[in-house]
Structures are given as structure tokens and as C-alpha cells.
Amino acid sequence: MSNSNNFFNGSLSEDWWKSAVFYQIYPRSFCDSNNDGIGDLRGVINKLDHLNDGNGGGLGIDAIWLSPFFPSPQADFGYDVSDYCDIDSDYGTLDDFDKLVFEAHKRKIRVVLDLVLNHSSDQHDWFKESMVDRTNSKADWYVWANPKPNGEPPNNWLAVFGGAAWTYEPLREQYYLHNFLAEQPDLNWYNPEVREALAEVVRFWMSRGVDGFRLDTANYYAYDRQLRDNPKRPAGSHPLEDGQEANPLSGYITKYSKDRPENIEFIHFLRKIFDEKANFTSIGEIGSSEGLEETLKLGADYVRHGDGLHMAYTFAMLSKEMNAEYFGHVVGFTEQMIEDGWPCWSLSNHDCTRMVTRFNCFAEREGFQQMMLLLLLSLRGTPIIYYGEEVDMEEYPITKEELRDPQGIRFWPEIKGRDGCRLPFPWDSAAPNQGFNTGKKPWLPAKNSLSLDQAQAYPESSYHVIKEMLKIRKTNPALQKGKFRQILLEGDCFVFERKTKDQTLLIAANFSTENHSIKLPLKVEKDLTPGALKHSGSIKNERLSLPACGYFLGKV
Ligand code: GLC
Ligand code: CA
């Protein structure tokens, strides 16, 4: 049952991931099948039809990325893995996993797993052995270094989740490196035995039928072997990520602790293993706090020439700032940098404030959300929808008592952490816990204002807009693979073209709450804008009129 790719016979092209629409599931929060308060794999299986039932029903999603469900002490909710080749009992069993792959493939949904290869949990057997002395068989599997003569950590590197990136281990009388929590020791990628062990992990899941990986923190694998201090950030330059100013790490340029030139060689190593399986794909999380263009350049470096990542996941659209100029610049600059690489876009994930709340500077919240989603689905590049975007999930104002996320616990109240974007999916407004389970208190409160049943009953909801747009994508190849060309970027409006040999499409968006009218340099033959969209543009006498937060799609 596990190797169930034959469902794709005849339809699986080598670059299926370029035209696919991905959907990120945070399994802990999707659906709780056994009513223990925690979402699980059987819950995901129960809800696959919502994504795509294989017969034209459901949203029409082509691939799911599942955040980690491997055995874990849950210090960072699964991003601390204590066994790479099993399933945590919170989420189910390997049998459940095989069933999930089978049921997904049956519906033509590909399955992408989240591999956390930069670090393991401190409860992984590898680390438990590595920490006991300097001579054991795993002694060099993590990054160990001697204290400074005064006993301090080897250098000034700071952890993303607070404090030094080094923790002292008395048994070895040495420090170990952890770019995130102390419970997440960094693996030593320079050690070939480590690389081989991770390659075996990759092969394990490939042979169980998965179609790709999302690689967690894929630019952290390498570190400066001389362990040089990170330079201080010059005053006046700002980190890209929303709300990170309060984190002392943002006072440094992380030149030596990540983004090392050797990192790309480690990615080349992984790519060779990915290429052992036909039609496999990868999305590496490549985040940088060195400004927008640096981030985009860095991402592009990983995807050119077909020997690195298939796609780089960028933080560029996870910004707080969003307007036509910013959006147009991100897209234009990416196109300039990426050459033969393929972009990948998303507007939200499990680490950042929900889009509908983040962009709340606009009166037209729903309109803005729908316009952004439609733009996401119109760009050249693979779009990733974050679970709940179809029901306009908003950021939940978490209280101190409800906090679960270690980042929020550490930095409260300056940084409130990531719980607010990880709420249970609201399936049913009339059911206990909005249908997430049958009544046991969920690990985070089930409190979204809109539920799926309500969104489905309302013809102009984001649910219907997305669903319709995914159908339009399927029948209009230029939306999937067409070239991008900017037509106009003026004030609040952004207009571009997607073009294949046989088809030219025009896409326009208005990022403001005022109406705009634009003289178009191209003649639009047919309006293809989803009918469910309330804020749709229209053409009259070669002028396009775009209402507040308006979007337009037309055939040229
Ligand atoms: C990535 C994940 C995040 C996690 C971190 C450490 O950024 O998206 O959730 O906390 O890596 O693994
Ligand atoms: Ca459960």
C-alpha cells in the first residue's frame, strides 16, 4: 500500500510541482480524530476531501506539506525530532502514515514532509550518546567546542529563541551549538557519517511514497568552522521579519552562524539523493534577516542550475509591509535574480502573524485577503496556501496562560510567539470546538470568527474564491507556467502579464481602499476573474476599473 504513486500514471510529469498548488497543514491543529485535544494523521485523512476529493470536489489542492509529526518531546512542537523514522504517538502510527499517503494519492494529492535536518532533539539517541564524552562513536555528530579560558561560550552567537546559541555540557566540559532551543542541538553537517545518516532518513521516507520534502532552516546546516564572532548590525538597519526587533539576535548580522558558502554544497549532496527518485521535489526554507533583496538573492542562489533546491521558501511576503510597490518589487526582483530557477510563494505560515491580521491597516479586510490570495495564485511560481486561509483565519490574541510556543514564553510580552497563527481549524460553527474534535479542550483554543460551514454557505467567501481560481488555473496554462512581465506599477496598482506560446493573460490588482481606473496598453478579450469575487475589476472602453482591493484576470 505504501508505494502508491501509480495513481498518477499518465498524469505525473517531472515538474508537476511547478503547476501544483500546495497547502500547508499544521497537523497538531487540523483535525483531532481521537478527541485527545491534539490534531493527528487520521484527522488529516478524514479531511482530505476538503482539499481535493479527486473528483472535482473540495478546494482542488494538488499537494500538502505536513509540518513535522515525528517522535518529539515537543519542545518546539515537532521541530525537535527524537527519531526521524517514526511517528509520534500524539499523531498516530506508521500504518496511519501509509494510509495517509495512499488516501492522498488516490485523490491526486502529493505528500510533502517537513524534514528538520539542521538539528535534532536533545532526546535523540545520537545526541544522548554524543554528549557523554569526547570519544564515543557519535562524539563528532554535533557541534562541540571548548569554553573560552574564562569559561564563557566559544563565541557571541545567539539563538533565535533567546540566549546564547551555546549550552555547556559538564560531562564533556564543552559547549554544544544550538541555533534554536537548547533542546535542538545543531547536527554537524561537516561529518560525512552525519550526512550519510540523514541521507538514509531521506531514503526511508522516499520509499514510503512521499513526493517531496520541505527542508526546515535549510541555510543553517553549515557554520563557520573557525567559530568567528558575528558582527554587530550597524544602527539603523532593520530585520525583515515582523516583530523581531525585540529579539537581541536582530542586533547581529548572522554572517558566521548561518548562510555559509559551504551550505550550498550540503544542499547539492541532498539533491543527488532526491534525484534517486523520479519526480521528487524539495522546498528549502531560506530565511535571512539581512534585508529584502539579500533574502531574495540568497533564495535564488539555491535554485539555479538544477543542482540545488527545486524551490526556496522565502520570507519576502511574510512581511508586515504590503502595498503595490513592495509586492511589485519582490516579484520583479525575484524574476531578475532567479534565472532558470523556479519561485515559490506564500503569504503566511506557522511562524508568522496570520495575513488577515498582519495586513489589517486596510478597512477592507476580507477584500484585501482575497486579492492577496488571488495574486498568490497568479504569480509565476508555486503557491503555498496556509491552512485556514480559505476561512480567513485571523491571528488569535493569545493570553499568557494560553501560551504554548517557547518563543512566546521566552520573549513575552514583547514577542507574543506563534500560537496565535496555529489555532485549530474551524470546521463547523455548530459543533464543539468548531468541529476540531468532539469536545476535549484543544491544545490551543478553537476560536476563529468564521467556520468552514459558514464560508461554504456564503457565495463570496475566500473558500469559493480560491476554489474557483484553482479551477481557472487548471484550464489556463499561462497561469501555471507562463512567463511573467510587469505591465504597470503605479501608485496602488500592479498589473502584469503571464504568457505562454498560445495564451496571454493580464492580471491587475489594486492594493488600496480607493477605486482606480487604468488605461491598459493591451486589449482584453475576455474577463476570467472568478465570479465569486466581490471586489472584481471590469473593463469599459479599454479602461480597467478596479474597486477597493480589486482584482482582475483577463485573456488578451
Ligand atoms: C523553522 C520552523 C519553525 C521552527 C524552526 C526551528 O523556522 O518553521 O517553526 O521553530 O525552524 O526548527
Ligand atoms: Ca488526537
Side-chain angles (χ1 to χ4, degrees), residues 31-41 89-91 436-437:
C31 175
D32 173 13
S33 74
N34 62 349
N35 198 36
D36 65 354
I38 299 172
D40 43 59
L41 296 184
S89 57
D90 276 355
Y91 299 109
F436 171 66
N437 63 14

Side-chain angles (χ1 to χ4, degrees), residues 216-262:
D216 189 66
T217 58
N219 53 336
Y220 281 76
Y221 298 166
Y223 58 92
D224 177 44
R225 299 196 88 187
Q226 296 174 49
L227 304 181
R228 282 170 280 192
D229 276 350
N230 276 330
K232 277 221 151 70
R233 181 183 297 282
S237 70
H238 297 289
L240 180 65
E241 282 168 76
D242 179 22
Q244 287 301 313
E245 295 82 358
N247 188 341
L249 177 66
S250 70
Y252 291 88
I253 296 174
T254 48
K255 180 173 174 186
Y256 294 114
S257 49
K258 63 193 269 257
D259 299 328
R260 301 302 301 158
E262 308 92 284

Side-chain angles (χ1 to χ4, degrees), residues 16 54 78 84 87 126 167 219 257 289 316 330 375 473 504 515 530-531 545:
W16 61 269
Y84 286 102
I87 309 289
W126 298 341
T167 290
N219 53 336
S257 49
S289 36
V330 168
L375 278 177
R473 277 179 61 98
T504 304
N515 299 336
S545 98

Side-chain angles (χ1 to χ4, degrees), residues 24 26 65 67-68 76-80 114 116 118-119 160-161 179-181 184 214-218 220 241 285 313 315 349-351 405-407 418 422:
Q24 182 193 352
Y26 196 71
W65 146 26
S67 282
D76 189 20
F77 296 105
Y79 286 93
D80 49 323
D114 201 328
V116 190
N118 174 66
H119 44 269
V160 174
F161 295 146
N179 273 293
F180 294 87
L181 294 172
Q184 295 167 300
R214 180 261 186 186
L215 298 172
D216 189 66
T217 58
Y220 281 76
E241 282 168 76
E285 182 194 24
Y313 187 96
F315 290 20
N349 69 24
H350 63 292
D351 294 329
D405 178 25
Q407 191 189 36
R418 302 163 294 176
R422 298 174 175 178

